[in-house]
Amino acid sequence: MSNNYVMTDVLPVAPLKIAALKSSRPLAEKINDHIVQFRKNDTEELIRRKKDLNYRGYNVDSYLLQCDCPRFGTGEAKGEIHESVRGCDLYAMVDIMNYSITYKVSGFTNHMSPDDHYQDLKRIIGATVATAHRVNVILPFLYEGRQHKRTKRESLDCAMALEELVRMGVANIITFDAHDPRVQNAIPLHGFDNFMPTYQFIQTLFRHDRTLKIDKEHLMVISPDEGAMSRAVYLANNLSVDMGMFYKRRDYSRVINGRNPIVAHEFLGSSVEGKTVLIIDDMIASGESMLDTARALKERKAKKIIICCTFGLFTSGLDKFDEFYHKGYIDYVITTNLNYRPQELLDRPWYMEADMSKYLATIINCLNHDVSISTALNPTKKIQKLVRQYQNNDGYEYFQTII
């Protein structure tokens, strides 16, 4: 039992319910298991302290709400709630990147797109917001987050979606590693929390690789482009190592697959020769840019290439990553379990997963009690403690039990 989750003097704002759509159900079940254990620990600890936790629904077997979005034969859908949510603190959760879910339209099979998942989220909100005490939305991958600014005559989809959610009555929006967190400027008077998985990356890395040397002579953090600079700076500062970056030269006279093609990757930074290199970014989409970066670093005689990305989308498949792994351009890839990953990815020898379920459970539990989440937003102390433990080689068991 850990006392980190014992809420001694604070009651929840309302009974907790997690409305997880089918796309995010596996992750939500793991989150639910953690919260159940947290609150079981709370109850045991408060009994030991001879304090009474007189709150109905605090310690239950499951916080998952029975809900669904069935579809008619035309492809139209509706949100259904199969139990009361009156007075509940509701957390609606959806993985907009789960392309594995299908539905029928006039006999044809369609795979659900991000737009389809977003519409289902709104259906669940519409079915609950009138009676729930508070509705919060968990969008691990921020819907339309890559369309965060206007460079020509184009729509600002992410800003419009955020405004739409708060107009529907959503109190808080929780996301991870937003492509550009400044999109929250669209809703400046409402809750928007953007969490980073840096701690979980380091934890996963240290747990699986006990040969790393954390110093400037042996380790370096690389940003694959200017957009990932802040992530790389934060990680490099916590590890006390140097940082480098690439910038992309693009051909702005052409558009291929909705973007200007990359002509070359130019490197800025000190030598990577003989060093282990951590490439950090928010997502792997097609993976083309990330693999080009890895190859460029190997050509500069980097010893080991480790890729850390919050979202592993792999929209162009896994074959190119297999090829680069066998050629020695990459050693392994770490992504979170915040989005759908097919089984063939999980089976790859170069793939490692950073489990975010306990972190998300902690966030939900804190918000439900209306207590500070500053430690979760800025885990610097935890990261530095983890680095010290790793450098002191304080035992494998430590890395199996830390959050």
Side-chain angles (χ1 to χ4, degrees):
M1 185 190 72
S2 170
N3 290 338
N4 291 337
Y5 307 101
V6 176
M7 305 294 181
T8 55
D9 301 315
V10 183
L11 287 175
V13 296
L16 173 64
K17 287 290 182 181
I18 302 174
L21 289 165
K22 187 177 180 181
S23 60
S24 61
R25 196 74 181 186
L27 177 59
E29 288 172 353
K30 297 180 73 174
I31 293 169
N32 175 69
D33 291 343
H34 285 302
I35 297 178
V36 169
Q37 188 59 50
F38 292 167
R39 298 195 171 186
K40 182 180 178 182
N41 291 349
D42 287 0
T43 304
E44 292 174 356
E45 182 67 15
L46 290 166
I47 290 172
R48 187 184 69 80
R49 299 180 188 183
K50 297 182 180 180
K51 292 186 177 182
D52 182 25
L53 188 63
N54 186 19
Y55 190 87
R56 182 177 298 172
Y58 186 80
N59 189 8
V60 298
D61 293 333
S62 176
Y63 298 94
L64 293 174
L65 180 72
Q66 297 301 314
C67 60
D68 194 17
C69 287
R71 290 184 178 266
F72 301 100
T74 58
E76 298 167 291
K78 61 179 178 178
E80 289 184 346
I81 307 299
H82 303 298
E83 58 183 287
S84 174
V85 296
R86 187 173 298 278
C88 289
D89 188 22
L90 187 74
Y91 291 80
M93 183 174 174
V94 63
D95 174 15
I96 64 165
M97 287 297 159
N98 192 335
Y99 56 86
S100 69
I101 300 175
T102 60
Y103 63 96
K104 295 282 189 178
V105 180
S106 299
F108 296 97
T109 299
N110 274 8
H111 285 264
M112 288 189 70
S113 71
D115 290 343
D116 292 322
H117 287 300
Y118 176 65
Q119 287 300 121
D120 279 357
L121 171 65
K122 291 196 295 181
R123 292 177 177 114
I124 294 299
I125 295 169
T128 59
V129 73
T131 55
H133 174 76
R134 184 174 69 178
V135 175
N136 312 273
V137 165
I138 301 175
L139 278 166
F141 188 100
L142 186 61
Y143 175 70
E144 292 289 2
R146 285 193 283 182
Q147 185 53 25
H148 60 283
K149 62 182 179 180
R150 178 178 285 151
T151 56
K152 49 188 175 182
R153 291 186 293 274
E154 55 192 17
S155 59
L156 291 171
D157 296 59
C158 187
M160 290 191 296
L162 295 177
E163 289 180 337
E164 184 177 24
L165 290 175
V166 299
R167 282 198 301 269
M168 292 183 72
V170 171
N172 298 296
I173 298 171
I174 300 161
T175 192
F176 284 83
D177 203 352
H179 193 67
D180 189 338
R182 288 175 294 182
V183 294
Q184 66 187 291
N185 292 338
I187 50 169
L189 302 181
H190 294 81
F192 181 97
D193 290 306
N194 179 47
F195 296 92
M196 304 296 290
T198 312
Y199 176 78
Q200 284 72 21
F201 282 151
I202 297 175
Q203 180 192 27
T204 304
L205 180 61
F206 286 178
R207 183 178 293 168
H208 289 87
D209 192 338
R210 304 288 290 161
T211 66
L212 294 175
K213 294 182 179 179
I214 315 299
D215 57 47
K216 292 183 178 181
E217 289 70 37
H218 298 92
L219 186 65
M220 191 170 178
V221 178
I222 298 294
S223 170
D225 54 39
E226 59 276 16
M229 277 286 291
S230 60
R231 302 176 185 91
V233 168
Y234 180 73
L235 179 56
N237 286 341
N238 275 283
L239 297 177
S240 298
V241 298
D242 289 332
M243 193 212 79
M245 70 161 287
F246 283 85
Y247 71 91
K248 302 169 184 175
R249 283 202 291 116
R250 294 181 179 271
D251 181 0
Y252 286 99
S253 65
R254 295 184 297 151
V255 176
I256 299 176
N257 294 329
R259 61 179 184 173
N260 303 107
I262 299 168
V263 176
H265 289 80
E266 306 292 350
F267 181 66
L268 300 173
S270 58
S271 173
V272 299
E273 185 174 353
K275 296 180 181 179
T276 295
V277 174
L278 303 181
I279 308 174
I280 188 164
D281 206 354
D282 60 334
M283 73 180 77
I284 296 174
S286 66
E288 174 189 347
S289 177
M290 191 64 68
L291 292 174
D292 287 345
T293 300
R295 178 164 50 195
L297 289 167
K298 267 297 181 182
E299 290 171 353
R300 288 170 170 80
K301 300 181 180 179
K303 178 182 178 182
K304 185 183 287 188
I305 306 291
I306 302 167
I307 297 173
C308 298
C309 282
T310 307
F311 302 102
L313 308 179
F314 300 98
T315 56
S316 295
L318 305 174
D319 293 343
K320 200 70 176 177
F321 282 84
D322 290 336
E323 177 188 339
F324 273 54
Y325 173 71
H326 291 302
K327 287 182 176 179
Y329 290 140
I330 60 174
D331 289 85
Y332 41 90
V333 177
I334 303 173
T335 75
T336 70
N337 59 340
L338 292 171
N339 65 284
Y340 169 74
R341 290 106 47 242
Q343 187 60 46
E344 51 265 35
L345 172 61
L346 302 178
D347 293 338
R348 289 301 199 269
W350 44 263
Y351 178 72
M352 280 191 274
E353 176 187 284
D355 185 8
M356 303 294 292
S357 59
K358 197 171 185 180
Y359 188 33
L360 246 174
T362 305
I363 293 166
I364 294 172
N365 199 37
C366 288
L367 289 174
N368 181 235
H369 285 83
D370 252 358
V371 299
S372 173
I373 56 172
S374 58
T375 303
L377 275 169
N378 186 16
T380 301
K381 290 182 180 178
K382 290 171 61 179
I383 292 173
Q384 292 175 352
K385 179 181 177 181
L386 184 63
V387 172
R388 287 195 301 270
Q389 292 281 352
Y390 182 84
Q391 290 176 324
N392 294 334
N393 197 25
D394 280 354
Y396 180 75
E397 291 77 11
Y398 175 79
F399 296 99
Q400 296 300 314
T401 57
I402 52 180
I403 301 171

